[in-house]
Amino acid sequence: MDTSAIDTLTAKLIHIIKTRDPDKVRFWADQLDRQKNQFLVAQIIARVDRSLQKTDRELRGWFRDIYCANYSPELKKLWLDFVDLCGLSL
């Protein structure tokens, strides 16, 4: 997937997150998790996370909680650490 497509998808996901509709956010998070390329998913989540960190830290925390709701605390930490590492290369 090219960078412009990733940017577009990231912007759409941020727009959905800003609605604070947990059902919509869960739906699109599930759609992302079903993708075969988990590195691509991590890049998108890293971009979303970085953008929310700059603009609305409370919303960032809310999104992380929704996105990782079904993860054990250990898996949540590992996934978010991996996302943070992926974000370093962006």
Side-chain angles (χ1 to χ4, degrees), residues 31-88:
Q31 295 301 312
L32 278 175
D33 283 344
R34 290 188 180 128
Q35 301 306 306
K36 293 180 183 179
N37 185 344
Q38 286 301 306
F39 183 68
L40 176 63
V41 173
Q43 286 180 314
I44 293 168
I45 298 301
R47 288 171 186 254
V48 168
D49 197 62
R50 180 179 284 171
S51 176
L52 293 176
Q53 183 178 10
K54 290 178 185 175
T55 60
D56 190 339
R57 288 181 182 249
E58 188 273 326
L59 186 59
R60 176 187 182 223
W62 179 86
F63 170 68
R64 284 179 162 208
D65 289 343
I66 295 288
Y67 184 77
C68 298
N70 295 328
Y71 296 176
S72 68
E74 296 84 13
L75 184 58
K76 178 181 178 180
K77 182 179 177 349
L78 286 172
W79 177 247
L80 293 175
D81 288 347
F82 178 67
V83 165
D84 289 340
L85 287 173
C86 290
L88 293 174

Side-chain angles (χ1 to χ4, degrees), residues 19-34:
T19 67
R20 291 185 186 258
D21 183 335
D23 293 330
K24 284 183 183 179
V25 173
R26 278 188 206 101
F27 175 80
W28 288 107
D30 289 344
Q31 295 301 312
L32 278 175
D33 283 344
R34 290 188 180 128

